[in-house]
Amino acid sequence: GDLVSAAFVLDHPREALVWWSGTVGEGRERHAFAFLLASTAAWAAAAGRERLNLGASPGLDAVAAFKSAGVNAFGEALARHAHHV
């Protein structure tokens, strides 16, 4: 299939930072970016990162709410990974 969503993630032993991302129309319709971030969170947790930094979103309440929900998903992924170590 075609690439519909991508992100450039800066990786550090303690933190992963989603620096730049983009999603085409078809990807937005299919919620590809949400899947991409969930996959990135799972990867970061499995790789032992303590934090997944999604950056700041001043004035973008919907984006901030999505990121806030992502904090819970990352915490759950960390917890699941900790039980398997």
Side-chain angles (χ1 to χ4, degrees):
D2 293 334
L3 180 66
V4 295
S5 187
F8 178 67
V9 179
L10 301 174
D11 186 33
H12 180 273
R14 289 188 311 263
E15 177 176 346
L17 168 64
V18 180
W19 180 256
W20 197 260
S21 63
T23 304
V24 298
E26 179 186 351
R28 286 188 288 279
E29 292 169 11
R30 300 173 79 184
H31 306 286
F33 188 62
F35 177 77
L36 177 63
L37 287 185
S39 298
T40 302
W43 169 84
R49 304 305 175 258
E50 298 170 14
R51 178 178 159 153
L52 176 61
N53 186 338
L54 300 177
S57 301
L60 301 172
D61 293 339
V63 175
F66 176 81
K67 289 178 179 181
S68 182
V71 168
N72 293 330
F74 185 65
E76 291 169 9
L78 280 174
R80 281 194 302 277
H81 179 69
H83 291 301
H84 294 286
V85 174

